[in-house]
Amino acid sequence: MEKGYIAEKEIQVMYADTDMMGVIYHGSYIKWLEVGRMQLIEDIGYDYVAMERSGYYAPVYNINVTYKKSLKYGDRAFVRTWVAKNTGMRTDYGFEIVNGDGEVCTYGTTTHIVVKKVNGEFRPVAFKKVFPEWFLKYEQIKVDEK
């Protein structure tokens, strides 16, 4: 897999995703970011469920979303996801959601940290240390500038 890899997944736009104005509700995009992140992880050969089974989790630390153009029920939509930054403690996933014409409708980043449950509490751990191969794969495929 090459440097600058971008995963792409078509989103099934459902009527339940719309708001009373007939456009996709802003909160619906957040679940689509997760769909994109899972696609990226799967594409590079890793398994988030296996990560959780081993006692580690990667919760959202921060979300930055810009809504540029509305999507409506019946539109085709695709989420594109890439690794934008990978410090060893935090990973920033870049994303854009495009319509069927390839126009960027939404873009931004999500930041995740890795935690382990210890005595009932979640404590941050170094992604670089607990999943070194996964960290190195992210280094290999990350997008320097988009």
Side-chain angles (χ1 to χ4, degrees), residues 74-97:
D75 287 347
R76 290 188 73 198
F78 303 84
V79 59
R80 297 177 181 155
T81 309
W82 59 90
V83 175
K85 190 174 183 182
N86 188 35
T87 70
M89 287 300 291
R90 295 181 184 172
T91 302
D92 291 352
Y93 297 88
F95 70 86
E96 58 188 19
I97 296 173

Side-chain angles (χ1 to χ4, degrees), residues 36-88:
R37 187 170 73 96
M38 292 298 98
Q39 186 64 55
L40 174 72
I41 291 169
E42 181 182 309
D43 285 358
I44 66 167
Y46 289 91
D47 182 352
Y48 185 80
V49 173
M51 173 193 249
E52 287 191 348
R53 284 189 190 123
S54 68
Y56 295 93
Y57 304 86
V60 174
Y61 180 78
N62 186 56
I63 295 178
N64 179 5
V65 180
T66 299
Y67 301 95
K68 186 174 176 184
K69 182 179 173 94
S70 296
L71 282 167
K72 299 177 183 76
Y73 177 68
D75 287 347
R76 290 188 73 198
F78 303 84
V79 59
R80 297 177 181 155
T81 309
W82 59 90
V83 175
K85 190 174 183 182
N86 188 35
T87 70

Side-chain angles (χ1 to χ4, degrees), residues 2-21:
E2 75 281 356
K3 185 143 186 87
Y5 178 74
I6 299 174
E8 183 170 293
K9 174 85 172 169
E10 184 164 8
I11 300 298
Q12 182 179 3
V13 180
M14 301 186 326
Y15 186 77
D17 293 323
T18 64
D19 63 16
M20 65 185 293
M21 296 181 293

